[in-house]
Amino acid sequence: NLYAPEISPKGNRIAFTAAQGSSQSIWVMKIDGGNARPLSEGNTDIDPSWSPDSARILFASSRTGKTELHIMNADGSNPKPVMNGGPEVEGRNDWSPNGEWLAFYAGPDGDHDIFMVDPSGRNLQQLTDGGDNLAPSFSPDSDWIAFTSYRDGNNEIYILNLDGGVYRLTNDPLSQWQPRWGP
């Protein structure tokens, strides 16, 4: 199974998650589908997000015993946790286009919240409180985050401004999932 593809900011590669049995790993390939190769193996590494310069990849991994954010070089070298002892994260995360922030979601099942932290693991900020908020995605100007939330009893898409304010974008009886901003 292949999922969570993301095109590099330079537009020449795609990072994605490949699942085989109980193992999930980050892979990368050329934009035309050629030269597919694993960057990690034998772990539960999921949901890659490229740094704005395409030099590094942010991902969620359970290699330390709990699921935490990790960053590795785009060739798979030097993987390390973003925060030592940070909150246990879920999957989908994002790297702000200005390079200043990482967004992720964490918390108990049914009560996840959106957080941000700088790439060095400092300045952790909780951006939502309640509503089971999932799958953050930064806007191209890094001022907004789109996300999914159950806050109104149905899974809908919202945006929040980093200066404050949360706005609902969808109102549909069908669930909405993992919003991403376009170029």
Side-chain angles (χ1 to χ4, degrees), residues 45-80:
D45 297 342
I46 59 172
D47 295 320
S49 292
W50 292 93
S51 63
D53 62 2
S54 299
R56 296 180 290 166
I57 297 173
L58 171 69
F59 61 102
S61 177
S62 63
R63 61 180 65 204
T64 60
K66 71 177 189 174
T67 306
E68 297 180 291
L69 289 178
H70 286 69
I71 294 176
M72 66 179 151
N73 293 331
D75 65 1
S77 66
N78 200 28
K80 55 185 163 187

Side-chain angles (χ1 to χ4, degrees), residues 39 47-48 62 75 99 115 117 125 128 131 141 145 153 161 172 177:
L39 298 181
D47 295 320
S62 63
D75 65 1
F115 293 83
V117 66
Q125 298 176 38
T128 62
D141 64 5
I145 294 177
N161 186 292
D172 192 321
W177 293 101

Side-chain angles (χ1 to χ4, degrees), residues 16-175:
F16 59 94
T17 303
Q20 291 183 324
S22 63
S23 179
Q24 298 176 53
S25 55
I26 306 298
W27 283 58
V28 68
M29 67 182 173
K30 291 181 180 178
I31 197 75
D32 66 4
N35 196 31
R37 60 188 175 81
L39 298 181
S40 66
E41 293 186 58
N43 295 301
T44 301
D45 297 342
I46 59 172
D47 295 320
S49 292
W50 292 93
S51 63
D53 62 2
S54 299
R56 296 180 290 166
I57 297 173
L58 171 69
F59 61 102
S61 177
S62 63
R63 61 180 65 204
T64 60
K66 71 177 189 174
T67 306
E68 297 180 291
L69 289 178
H70 286 69
I71 294 176
M72 66 179 151
N73 293 331
D75 65 1
S77 66
N78 200 28
K80 55 185 163 187
V82 173
M83 298 173 284
N84 290 320
E88 185 157 3
V89 304
E90 296 293 331
R92 205 62 182 146
N93 55 70
D94 200 20
W95 202 314
S96 67
N98 66 11
E100 295 178 8
W101 296 103
L102 310 174
F104 62 95
Y105 67 102
D109 286 345
D111 192 23
H112 298 102
D113 283 301
I114 307 294
F115 293 83
M116 288 190 324
V117 66
D118 70 34
S120 68
R122 293 187 298 269
N123 301 312
L124 179 65
Q125 298 176 38
Q126 182 174 337
L127 302 177
T128 62
D129 187 16
D132 202 22
N133 308 286
L134 315 166
S137 174
F138 279 100
S139 63
D141 64 5
S142 301
D143 290 338
W144 295 83
I145 294 177
F147 63 99
T148 302
S149 181
Y150 285 92
R151 65 184 57 208
D152 292 331
N154 186 31
N155 202 28
E156 301 289 351
I157 295 176
Y158 290 78
I159 57 172
L160 66 83
N161 186 292
L162 296 185
D163 291 332
V166 175
Y167 308 93
R168 183 175 172 168
L169 295 183
T170 62
N171 186 10
D172 192 321
L174 300 174
S175 290

